């Protein structure tokens, strides 16, 4: 079975730190309304750091209409039918970065502090490894300290920090931070593992 087909059937139940349960599955066409509501719950100052205009229904409609899990895999966390978190694996299917997946994560403000981001990112990193990627990276604005700390806990290391390099949605300059994680061990590279 192709990875794409496998992912479409993917469904996993996880238990969070407070004992609550949620299910993980990839984004589907019929998630449009639910996914838009999820982004509306993100506080305005945080939304400034998101790369896309996620409060605009058209943005979410385009994502749900043009699902290509091999290129962008949004793994949703759902509780009682509501989307409470998402981690996405972005892949460039050709070129210099074809062996590197990019990971991003966002958790609904009411569901933070329960280990959900940690579970989502661990899961997406496993999927990246199974799909044969060699590395994963994650990009941040310097102020996203909680996220930077969390990715460090999951084994990501700081690759670069560029002062005042990026602009948020209000055109204010911020530091750019790139973190990365090697998925293949040296043994695997040498064909020993
Ligand atoms: C960063 C974010 C994803 C964390 O989500 P979460 O589900 O609350 O995170 P978890 O509960 O899995 O926390 C994992 C670890 O991260 C660290 N962490 C999480 N939130 C933190 C905070 N506000 N301050 C400091 N450390 C924090 C903690 O060390 C935590 O480990 P612990 O529970 O053992 O203390 C969430 O705050 C968010 O969506 N922020 C906005 C989006 C963002 O910055 N995305 C990253 C860009 S890729």
């Amino acid at each position: 079975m192709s990875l794409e087909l496998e992912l479409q059937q993917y469904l996993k139940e996880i238990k969070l730190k407070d004992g609550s349960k949620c299910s993980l599955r990839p984004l589907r066409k019929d998630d449009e309304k639910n996914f838009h509501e999820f982004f509306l719950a993100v506080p305005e100052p945080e939304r400034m750091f998101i790369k896309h205009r996620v409060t605009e229904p058209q943005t979410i409609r385009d994502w749900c209409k043009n699902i290509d899990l091999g290129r962008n895999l949004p793994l949703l966390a759902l509780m009682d039918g509501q989307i409470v978190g998402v981690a996405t694996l972005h892949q460039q299917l050709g070129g210099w970065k074809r062996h590197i997946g990019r990971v991003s994560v966002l958790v609904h403000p009411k569901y933070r502090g329960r280990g959900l981001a940690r579970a989502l990112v661990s899961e997406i990193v496993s999927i990246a490894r199974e799909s044969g990627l060699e590395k994963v990276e994650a990009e941040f604005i310097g102020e996203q300290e909680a996220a930077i700390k969390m990715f460090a806990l999951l084994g990501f290391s700081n690759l670069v920090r560029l002062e005042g390099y990026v602009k948020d949605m209000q055109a204010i300059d911020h530091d750019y931070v790139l973190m990365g994680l090697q998925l293949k061990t040296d043994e695997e590279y040498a064909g020993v593992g």
Side-chain angles (χ1 to χ4, degrees), residues 6-191:
E6 253 177 69
L7 287 171
Q8 276 165 11
Q9 290 167 17
Y10 177 105
L11 178 66
K12 190 166 183 170
E13 297 288 327
I14 59 162
K15 204 171 178 184
L16 302 178
K17 273 199 308 206
D18 63 351
S20 57
K21 284 183 189 158
C22 65
S23 48
L24 307 185
R25 65 152 174 84
L27 180 72
R28 294 190 313 225
K29 275 189 167 45
D30 59 352
D31 286 317
E32 188 182 319
K33 188 167 169 283
N34 203 346
F35 207 22
H36 185 232
E37 276 165 11
F38 166 72
F39 285 112
L40 290 179
V42 176
E44 177 75 27
E46 257 179 43
R47 253 192 257 137
M48 286 299 118
F49 297 161
I50 301 180
K51 288 178 183 168
H52 305 272
R53 299 206 179 270
V54 289
T55 50
E56 286 178 16
Q58 190 58 44
T59 305
I60 312 301
R61 188 164 306 140
D62 287 347
W63 288 352
C64 291
K65 268 192 178 161
N66 304 304
I67 294 176
D68 178 355
L69 299 180
R71 202 175 276 274
N72 285 306
L73 165 61
L75 186 65
L76 306 180
L78 292 111
M79 265 186 203
D80 302 321
Q82 187 195 352
I83 298 173
V84 293
V86 59
T88 307
L89 176 66
H90 309 263
Q91 293 190 60
Q92 308 211 342
L93 303 177
W96 282 6
K97 293 181 96 178
R98 63 190 179 281
H99 59 303
I100 307 173
R102 182 166 59 81
V103 175
S104 59
V105 65
L106 181 63
V107 170
H108 188 297
K110 278 196 193 149
Y111 297 87
R112 291 184 186 170
R114 306 179 187 199
L116 181 52
R118 202 193 271 250
L120 276 168
V121 174
S122 305
E123 198 58 35
I124 213 91
V125 167
S126 306
I127 294 173
R129 189 176 279 116
E130 279 161 31
S131 24
L133 287 165
E134 294 173 19
K135 302 168 197 276
V136 280
E137 63 180 23
E139 297 179 314
F140 308 88
I141 275 185
E143 286 88 340
Q144 288 176 306
E145 284 163 9
I148 291 172
K149 184 176 169 198
M150 193 207 73
F151 275 79
L153 285 171
L154 290 172
F156 283 68
S157 53
N158 282 319
L159 299 178
V160 76
R161 185 177 191 117
L162 299 173
E163 217 173 293
Y165 188 65
V166 288
K167 285 189 195 297
D168 66 21
M169 286 303 194
Q170 280 182 334
I172 298 167
D173 292 349
H174 296 273
D175 290 359
Y176 167 81
V177 176
L178 179 68
M179 298 181 84
L181 175 72
Q182 184 81 38
L183 299 178
K184 283 197 174 171
T185 61
D186 290 344
E187 286 79 11
E188 281 175 293
Y189 274 124

